[in-house]
Amino acid sequence: MKDADFSPEYKRLLRGCLYGARGGLAIAFAMVSAELASWLTPARYAWLAYALVGATMVIVYWWVWGKIFKNVGLTVK
C-alpha cells in the first residue's frame, strides 16, 4: 500500500486491522497446536502441555504471520 496517500487516521486504522488479523491467526493456530499437544501427553500433564505449547506457539506464529504479511505486501508505511 505504498502508492496511496492516506490520512494518518486511516493508516492507524489499517495498521490496527492488520495487527488484529495477525493476532487472531496467531492465536487460532496456537490453540490448535496446544490442543494437539495436550492430546499427545498423559492426562495428568495435559494442562501443562497446553499452556507451554500455546504460549510458545503464539510467539512463533506471530513472527510467521508477520513474515507472510510482509512478503505479500500487507504493510502500512
Side-chain angles (χ1 to χ4, degrees), residues 11-77:
K11 285 182 181 180
R12 192 175 316 122
L13 175 67
L14 285 175
R15 196 173 292 116
C17 289
L18 287 174
Y19 278 139
R22 186 177 167 188
L25 286 166
I27 289 170
F29 276 80
M31 285 178 62
V32 170
S33 299
E35 189 70 26
L36 180 62
S38 71
W39 288 348
L40 297 174
T41 57
R44 184 175 180 184
Y45 299 109
W47 65 272
L48 183 61
Y50 197 95
L52 291 176
V53 171
T56 303
M57 294 311 287
V58 164
I59 295 166
V60 170
Y61 284 129
W62 177 263
W63 179 79
V64 167
W65 283 108
K67 290 289 186 181
I68 291 171
F69 280 17
K70 192 176 211 179
N71 286 340
V72 297
L74 287 173
T75 58
V76 179
K77 303 280 180 189

